[in-house]
């Protein structure tokens, strides 16, 4: 099979370019079979995108390629994805430039994710079997990243972590002779007293012993009362996770630690029966059994859309509104609201809304149910509000989005093809990023373009040094600051930033 691959590669080289190579494990150099290798042409390159799996020897080949620029990406379970030409795991990949009948050989090495391991023990240093433990971001509040379960000796291993700083915490659990409270590494229930653990690529941080504190845990159970047919989704939210059960009425959650929780119950619309739901915040200090949760028709949130000239949108078919719930566990999954006329049904509680980016319109103003305005006056991002009965949200839309175009050069004003360009919506007063970072790549001539932008202040940089730079990273790059006006396209040329 290997000889056949070589013959095919040699035959293809007669008429077209070839990108071939191998994928290996970073630490050992062992070939990585069945790795998914993806080829993506740069804008302006006529070649197709495609993907192949490496063979038993870790080899791959893309044949019959037109001349141009390509990005090569490799991914395998248990390893961090990598791109050709990356300097490190945070850096962006560099394009492969090929000419007609040229053959390029790559050697891509994949590094393993970071991991944390240790043991969960009781007060006598005896391992606690099947006890669960989580890795959380070292932020305030912390957010769960990954979970693991201890074996019969209390040994655990949390894998799949990106390099960084984490807090390790057990999950509350009841045994035959008592319960254990959620406890951070170094025996504390307080986030500010927890000891963090550093996770490093290709390395396992070992001997992280967690001793959960004894304490009483409580049960939550009850019945959902509803009139619509179909199953009910019941979600119990804590600061660690969301637990979901599907039921026709009864629900149970066992061994929960004292503290704040949110109970969300929802049933989808079925024929003429409307969607129903309930939101119940609670402070768990005892067993809460025998609860009766009455589902009511979902809160109808009214949306009003008008142009910057004051004309109202009565047809919402061309407008897509994204929404995500904000609860104790953080931001939930993003969903697209289903409009009925100019309203949509959601559960009560905290929500974030954002208009899906469109080349046809951008949001220039936002007003929440009680007149809430964006903190930094950027209506085109996520805007958080609390939804209660008869809530109304208003948007002002511009049908004349702005844009930024330009060229990126390197060295003596040479065009830089295939380089990443990052666009950050930035508030110069608070010195904070106010929207999610946008990125693109230059084409073969070093040209880039961002379209569908709202008026406001932006920073733009170009570099291979970061795959997704943070605001602090951009601060060091001497970014170009651009102020966009409605309906105007601005030219902004850049120099490729290289870390010295």
């Amino acid at each position: 099979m290997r000889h056949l691959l070589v013959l095919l590669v040699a035959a293809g080289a007669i008429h077209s370019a070839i990108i071939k190579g191998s994928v290996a494990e970073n630490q050992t150099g062992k070939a990585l079979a069945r790795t998914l290798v993806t080829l993506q042409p740069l804008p302006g390159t006529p070649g197709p995108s495609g993907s192949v799996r490496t063979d038993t020897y870790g080899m791959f080949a893309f044949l019959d390629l037109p001349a141009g620029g390509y990005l090569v990406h490799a991914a395998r379970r248990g390893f961090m994805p990598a791109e050709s030409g990356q300097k490190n795991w945070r850096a962006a990949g560099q394009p492969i430039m090929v000419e007609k009948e040229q053959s390029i050989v790559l050697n891509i090495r994949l590094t393993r994710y970071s991991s944390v391991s240790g043991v969960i023990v009781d007060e006598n240093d005896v391992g606690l079997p099947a006890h669960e433990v989580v890795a959380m971001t070292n932020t305030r509040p912390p957010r769960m990243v990954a979970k693991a379960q201890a074996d019969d000796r209390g040994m655990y291993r949390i894998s799949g972590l990106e390099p960084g700083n984490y807090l390790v915490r057990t999950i509350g659990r009841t045994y035959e002779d008592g319960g254990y409270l959620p406890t951070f590494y170094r025996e504390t229930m307080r986030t500010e007293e927890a000891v963090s653990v550093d996770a490093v690529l290709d390395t396992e941080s070992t001997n992280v012993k967690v001793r959960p504190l004894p304490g009483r845990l409580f049960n939550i159970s009850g019945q959902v009362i509803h009139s619509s047919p179909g199953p009910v989704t019941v979600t119990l939210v804590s600061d660690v996770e969301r637990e979901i059960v599907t039921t026709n009425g009864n629900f149970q959650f066992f061994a929960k630690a004292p503290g704040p929780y949110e109970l969300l119950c929802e049933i989808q619309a079925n024929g003429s029966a409307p969607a129903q739901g309930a939101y119940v915040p609670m402070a768990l200090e005892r067993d809460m059994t025998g609860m009766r949760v009455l589902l009511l028709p979902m809160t109808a949130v009214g949306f009003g859309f008008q142009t910057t000239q004051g004309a109202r949108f009565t047809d919402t078919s061309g407008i897509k509104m994204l929404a995500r719930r904000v609860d104790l566990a953080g931001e939930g999954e993003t969903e697209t609201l289903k409009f009925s006329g100019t309203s949509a049904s959601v559960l009560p509680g905290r929500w974030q809304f954002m208009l899906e980016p469109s080349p046809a319109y951008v949001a220039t103003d936002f007003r929440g149910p009680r007149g809430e305005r964006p903190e930094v006056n950027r209506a085109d991002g996520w805007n958080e509000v609390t939804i209660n009965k008869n809530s109304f949200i208003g948007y002002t839309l511009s049908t004349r989005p702005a844009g930024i175009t330009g060229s990126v050069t390197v060295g003596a004003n040479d065009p830089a093809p295939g380089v990443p360009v990052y666009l950050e919506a930035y508030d110069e007063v608070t010195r904070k990023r106010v929207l999610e970072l946008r990125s693109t790549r230059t084409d073969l001539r070093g040209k880039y373009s961002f379209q569908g932008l709202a008026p406001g202040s932006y920073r733009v940089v170009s570099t291979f040094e970061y795959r997704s730079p943070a605001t602090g990273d951009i601060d060091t790059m001497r970014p170009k600051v651009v102020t966009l006006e409605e309906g105007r396209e601005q030219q902004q040329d850049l120099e490729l930033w290289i870390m010295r």
Side-chain angles (χ1 to χ4, degrees):
M1 175 63 73
R2 188 175 185 179
H3 295 298
L4 179 59
L5 175 62
V6 174
L7 290 174
L8 289 173
V9 168
I14 298 175
H15 302 293
S16 56
I18 296 171
I19 295 178
K20 59 182 179 178
S22 61
V23 182
E25 186 179 15
N26 181 57
Q27 282 189 318
T28 65
K30 294 179 179 179
L32 291 177
R34 298 176 299 281
T35 301
L36 181 64
V37 184
T38 303
L39 186 77
Q40 181 65 44
L42 296 182
T45 296
S49 59
S51 62
V52 296
R53 293 275 182 183
T54 57
D55 63 14
T56 303
Y57 305 99
M59 298 180 66
F60 67 90
F62 294 98
L63 311 177
D64 300 324
L65 299 177
Y70 298 86
L71 293 169
V72 179
H73 178 276
R76 191 178 192 271
R77 185 176 180 181
F79 294 84
M80 287 202 70
E83 291 182 340
S84 58
Q86 274 184 298
K87 291 184 177 180
N88 54 63
W89 72 276
R90 288 196 66 192
Q94 301 193 26
I96 307 300
M97 309 302 295
V98 294
E99 300 177 358
K100 186 177 179 180
E101 299 186 6
Q102 184 181 12
S103 180
I104 299 291
V105 180
L106 303 177
N107 181 13
I108 301 175
R109 301 179 79 90
L110 297 187
T111 55
R112 290 189 177 274
Y113 280 105
S114 308
S115 60
V116 175
S117 65
V119 62
I120 305 171
V121 298
D122 66 9
E123 53 269 46
N124 297 315
D125 260 7
V126 177
L128 290 171
H131 211 102
E132 291 184 310
V133 62
V134 297
M136 310 178 77
T137 59
N138 192 8
T139 57
R140 301 297 181 269
R143 299 300 184 199
M144 188 184 78
V145 177
K147 180 193 289 188
Q149 187 178 67
D151 62 15
D152 59 322
R153 300 169 300 165
M155 306 294 294
Y156 72 88
R157 183 175 183 272
I158 307 174
S159 60
L161 302 176
E162 289 191 352
N165 196 252
Y166 295 91
L167 302 179
V168 177
R169 191 176 90 165
T170 59
I171 301 291
R173 180 182 171 94
T174 297
Y175 290 86
E176 298 83 356
D177 54 352
Y180 291 93
L181 300 171
T183 306
F184 286 104
Y185 173 49
R186 294 297 174 88
E187 299 178 54
T188 180
M189 295 180 61
R190 297 168 58 87
T191 306
E192 56 270 24
E193 296 175 355
V195 175
S196 62
V197 178
D198 288 325
V200 182
L201 269 183
D202 268 338
T203 302
E204 183 170 318
S205 299
T206 59
N207 301 320
V208 180
K209 179 191 288 187
V210 190
R211 183 181 287 106
L213 301 173
R216 186 180 175 189
L217 302 174
F218 304 110
N219 298 324
I220 301 171
S221 64
Q223 183 180 17
V224 178
I225 310 300
H226 60 95
S227 58
S228 293
V232 181
T233 300
V234 181
T235 306
L236 182 69
V237 184
S238 68
D239 62 339
V240 176
E241 62 182 346
R242 301 176 180 91
E243 296 181 65
I244 302 174
V245 298
T246 302
T247 175
N248 288 324
N250 297 325
F251 63 89
Q252 292 179 319
F253 298 97
F254 298 106
K256 299 304 167 190
Y261 290 85
E262 293 171 315
L263 190 68
L264 313 174
C265 304
E266 183 176 357
I267 187 169
Q268 298 297 323
N270 189 345
S272 59
Q276 294 183 324
Y279 167 70
V280 183
M282 64 181 74
L284 189 62
E285 299 174 347
R286 57 180 174 80
D287 286 328
M288 298 186 69
T289 57
M291 295 179 65
R292 292 175 63 85
V293 181
L294 177 64
L295 297 194
L296 298 173
M298 290 275 204
T299 300
V301 180
F303 287 87
F305 303 100
Q306 67 177 22
T307 68
T308 50
Q309 289 76 37
R312 294 194 174 275
F313 287 81
T314 56
D315 180 12
T316 59
S317 59
I319 297 176
K320 289 188 177 181
M321 178 66 64
L322 304 180
R324 62 187 185 191
R325 172 175 285 282
V326 181
D327 53 33
L328 292 172
E331 292 86 13
E333 293 185 3
T334 299
E335 59 184 89
T336 301
L337 290 186
K338 296 179 180 179
F339 281 113
S340 176
T342 57
S343 65
S345 297
V346 300
L347 279 171
R350 288 185 297 153
W351 286 84
Q352 291 180 347
F353 298 98
M354 182 176 73
L355 282 170
E356 186 174 85
S358 168
Y361 59 81
V362 289
T364 60
D365 191 35
F366 170 89
R367 289 184 181 272
R370 283 161 295 281
E372 296 102 326
R373 304 295 297 274
E375 291 183 6
V376 291
N377 201 30
R378 290 298 295 254
D380 51 329
W382 287 108
N383 293 285
E384 184 171 326
V385 296
T386 299
I387 298 298
N388 294 310
K389 216 170 185 180
N390 301 322
S391 294
F392 181 84
I393 292 174
Y395 274 96
T396 299
L397 307 182
S398 169
T399 56
R400 299 188 301 127
I404 299 176
T405 60
S407 299
V408 180
T409 56
V410 62
N413 295 322
D414 295 324
V419 300
V421 182
Y422 300 101
L423 182 71
E424 179 185 55
Y426 184 72
D427 182 72
E428 295 186 271
V429 176
T430 62
R431 300 182 64 83
K432 292 182 179 179
R433 179 181 297 172
V434 295
L435 300 176
E436 295 176 0
L437 189 70
R438 293 182 62 170
S439 65
T440 188
R441 292 257 185 178
T442 58
D443 62 17
L444 292 177
R445 300 174 298 160
K447 304 287 187 180
Y448 77 91
S449 175
F450 291 101
Q451 300 298 324
L453 302 178
S457 180
Y458 297 84
R459 301 197 302 179
V460 58
V461 294
S462 178
T463 184
F464 283 117
E465 305 293 341
Y466 297 97
R467 183 160 36 95
S468 182
T471 294
D473 300 324
I474 293 178
D475 288 341
T476 67
M477 298 183 203
R478 302 186 298 277
K480 300 291 186 180
V481 179
V482 180
T483 301
L484 295 182
E485 299 176 0
E486 182 181 3
R488 298 282 300 274
E489 183 168 281
Q490 186 159 326
Q491 175 85 15
Q492 182 61 68
D493 295 333
L494 305 170
E495 292 184 6
L496 180 67
W497 185 80
I498 301 173
M499 187 179 296
R500 305 296 182 183

